[in-house]
Amino acid sequence: MTTVAGPAVETAERPVTNEYSIGRARARRRKQGAAALRTGIQAAIIVVWCLLPFYWMVVIGFRDSSYTFDPNPLPIHLTFANYISAFDTANGNYLGLALLNSFGICTVVTIVALVVGISASYCLARLNFPGKGLIMGFILGASMFPGVALLTPLFAMFSQLGWSGQYQVLIIPYIAGALPLTVYTLNSFFREMPWDLEEAARIDGCTPAQAFRIVILPLAAPAVFTTAILAFIASWNEYLLVSVLGNTQIQTVTYAIAQFTGSIPHVQPYTTIMAAGTIVTIPLIILVLVFQRRIVAGLTAGGVKG
Amino acid sequence: MTALAAPPKSPPPKLAGRESAEANRRRVTRVAYALLAPTIIVMLIIVAYPIVQSVIQSFNSDASGIDPKTGLFRAGGFVGLQNYTNWLFQQCQIGGVTQACPPGSPQAGFYNSVFVTFFFAIVTVALETVFGIWMAFIMNRNFRGRGILRAAVLVPWAIPTAVTAKLWYFIFDPSGVLNTVLNINVLWLSDLWASRFAIIIADTWKTTPFMALLILAGLQLIPEETYEAARMDGSSAVQTFFRITLPLLKPALVVAILFRTLDALRMYDLPAILTGGGGGGGQGTQTLSILVVKQIQQSNDSASALSTITFLLIFAVAFLFIRLLGANLTGNERKARRVAKEA
């Protein structure tokens, strides 16, 4: 990546302006107009492709269920009934409980993963010590490990502890799942921090802990915040563990959505599911749109999927 | 964070030469491990211990029946590699005799699941790479409305996979919007190949944006001057792409493809909810992860062996990737130093 920068700069001198080049400039501008149009069309295709299914979910979530299969893309036959029945527990769906559970579990997981992860990524980014590569490899390797392989032993372990069906059964594996992401993302942020400032603070008489708390942590706040969002989203979206270790009591939103049933057996209550899906997704969409820049920075810094 | 309060008082700045350097190094190592301890402990308990446990279990056999006290399968003693050979050679123990598995048993579906898993991984990652490069190129251009494009691209990424699966389940319904608008009559969720492509379509929709963002980050590292130089030298657009952009993009691309491939090989949520692993004869979209979860309900030990096989397969793919394509995952020290020097 870095090898190209050198000689390329010199060859890029602008030619001297004369009549010939003015004519060329005009032709180039025309060509640029066409290129801009092509770009615009392609961009429009991408936007439509990305938003259309989501749009469809929102539209159907507001549609009267007798018109479920009406392909009209416009928001017609509007109703709020789906949002009310999405929270209805008569058919064994507990979306309200699932939302509370998910908020609680994800908040705890995010906070713990950050507190534990900050100290780990600080020392991985900042200190040189034997075994550093090994530990980084262990953490990365763990993040690639297929989750299914952990299911059986975790299930056995939690049963022996008598924890089955309690919140820690989800919280603890979720922390372990969020930690590699947290450490990896924070590590790549921390590597670019102005560490000279920390040294300056030390010279001014701070202890290492003080220097970190007073000088570095405020500077790192945006990175920590970004990582928190990514960890939260990752935990919110988790399905494999909760589908095996979870139950009605401790269900999360993904569990609730996947199990959603209607009053008639074997008939999917689509409009209600779409309303429930919208409810579950909206917090994330808001987070993502508000903190768009930071999330993109965090995703690409860590390169780990949320 | 609590560990931060612990570091020992720093010694007076200047002792004598080498001894202080040595002491300093030891002190740094001590602090480092104190800071790392919580992470290591969590990972050991939740990841390392279960892995070891799982491997041990995979060499044991289930005794018939469930222990009423724990609700778990009773251990049936050491059986060596039997669980593994059962999967690899599709054998079953019926009445104490090893014989070929009857069709429909999980073991008989092993190679089908291996095929399905790799088929999904290869096709989805290939599609996501091609579309991802295209999206990244558009996002990298300057035009009005670029902000809208970048925001729109994040939407599929932000939707939980479980919701994505239900959403596409609705779209793919036999009387759903896709069949109605295209005026076709495809059984997207039960036909063998249609259900496979249904999953590929949904996965591509969901994950291409992530790929595009990683590629975009790589594209932005290529200096504009390089393109100008190529233009001056009369390079065509196609030449520029293959001779300049792609080679310079390679490091970012390799990491993106590696992460996506490892992720795709673990695919569970989407097929589990969208098709339940069904399609065709009933196992058309059954990935290895789905097979493991199904097997857990029957026999823990056999499932442990299968999950170990799955892990080894994924590990082999990761290893090959890093060896053949030289993926740089840890953003290693040398590169960081070189960049720092040039800055």
Side-chain angles (χ1 to χ4, degrees), chain A residues 1 42 130 152 184 270 303 305, chain B residues 33 134 173 248 259 300 329:
Chain A
M1 196 122 312
Q42 293 181 68
T152 354
Y184 195 59
Y270 280 126
K305 192 190 167 198
Chain B
Y33 278 97
W134 174 55
D173 189 279
L248 290 178
F259 277 132
N300 266 340
L329 292 176

Side-chain angles (χ1 to χ4, degrees), chain A residues 8 14 17 20 27 40 48 79 86 109 131 134 153 191 238 295:
Chain A
R14 298 271 91 192
T17 313
Y20 171 66
V48 169
T79 172
V109 166
L134 197 73
R191 236 189 294 218
E238 206 286 329
I295 286 177

Side-chain angles (χ1 to χ4, degrees), chain B:
Chain B
M1 191 71 39
T2 43
L4 273 175
K9 284 237 161 63
S10 46
K14 283 215 161 58
L15 282 173
R18 180 178 300 181
E19 261 160 64
S20 84
E22 178 60 34
N24 200 39
R25 199 159 44 239
R26 243 180 289 138
R27 191 180 61 84
V28 167
T29 307
R30 218 166 37 234
V31 172
Y33 278 97
L35 291 176
L36 279 170
T39 304
I40 294 176
I41 290 170
V42 172
M43 300 303 280
L44 281 180
I45 295 175
I46 298 300
V47 182
Y49 168 74
I51 291 171
V52 173
Q53 193 64 31
S54 173
V55 171
I56 292 172
Q57 234 179 7
S58 70
F59 292 114
N60 282 296
S61 150
D62 297 318
S64 48
I66 290 173
D67 190 333
K69 214 161 58 198
T70 59
L72 295 170
F73 294 99
R74 268 186 297 227
F78 183 77
V79 291
L81 288 170
Q82 196 187 54
N83 286 322
Y84 291 89
T85 52
N86 280 353
W87 288 110
L88 295 173
F89 303 114
Q90 318 202 300
Q91 292 164 337
C92 291
Q93 276 69 43
I94 299 167
V97 185
T98 302
Q99 57 187 75
C101 281
S105 66
Q107 274 79 3
F110 173 68
Y111 285 104
N112 167 64
S113 287
V114 172
F115 166 75
V116 167
T117 305
F118 277 86
F119 176 74
F120 281 165
I122 292 167
V123 176
T124 56
V125 173
L127 286 175
E128 285 158 22
T129 308
V130 172
F131 286 131
I133 291 176
W134 174 55
M135 280 189 189
F137 263 79
I138 305 292
M139 282 194 280
N140 199 27
R141 289 195 193 140
N142 257 319
F143 61 96
R144 257 192 312 167
R146 185 167 75 164
I148 298 173
L149 174 62
R150 291 196 174 180
V153 153
L154 278 172
V155 168
W157 173 81
I159 300 178
T161 313
V163 176
T164 307
K166 279 290 182 187
L167 170 57
W168 284 94
Y169 188 96
F170 175 51
I171 293 173
F172 284 131
D173 189 279
S175 42
V177 67
L178 191 66
N179 275 351
T180 313
V181 167
L182 296 179
N183 200 17
I184 49 174
N185 214 346
V186 177
L187 294 173
W188 287 103
L189 300 172
S190 45
D191 185 65
L192 177 62
W193 284 96
S195 62
R196 285 174 180 169
F197 277 100
I199 284 170
I200 287 169
I201 293 169
D203 191 65
T204 307
W205 177 75
K206 162 114 180 91
T207 342
T208 307
F210 170 71
M211 198 77 161
L213 289 174
L214 289 187
I215 295 169
L216 177 64
L219 270 184
Q220 285 168 338
L221 291 176
I222 303 176
E224 184 56 33
E225 291 85 8
T226 324
Y227 290 118
E228 265 170 48
R231 224 172 6 247
M232 288 294 170
D233 290 343
S235 151
S236 73
V238 177
Q239 274 177 323
T240 308
F241 177 76
F242 282 105
R243 299 272 179 87
I244 296 187
T245 312
L246 220 47
L248 290 178
L249 201 55
K250 195 192 147 198
L253 206 54
V254 167
V255 171
I257 292 177
L258 175 63
F259 277 132
R260 271 305 302 144
T261 308
L262 298 185
D263 230 29
L265 289 172
R266 295 183 293 192
M267 195 191 286
Y268 174 77
D269 309 13
L270 200 57
I273 301 174
L274 198 54
T275 59
Q283 303 185 327
T285 56
Q286 182 167 274
T287 61
L288 280 168
S289 293
I290 295 181
L291 189 61
V292 174
V293 171
K294 279 190 178 166
Q295 185 61 26
I296 285 174
Q297 289 144 14
Q298 305 197 3
S299 151
N300 266 340
D301 306 306
S302 189
S304 298
L306 183 61
S307 60
T308 309
I309 294 173
T310 308
F311 170 63
L312 290 176
L313 280 174
I314 294 179
F315 183 78
V317 170
F319 184 77
L320 279 179
F321 244 101
I322 293 169
R323 264 295 148 88
L324 293 180
L325 293 170
N328 181 3
L329 292 176
T330 42
N332 66 28
E333 304 295 311
R334 240 177 312 142
K335 186 172 137 205
R337 232 178 289 138
R338 201 169 60 226
V339 172
K341 214 188 293 166
E342 272 164 29

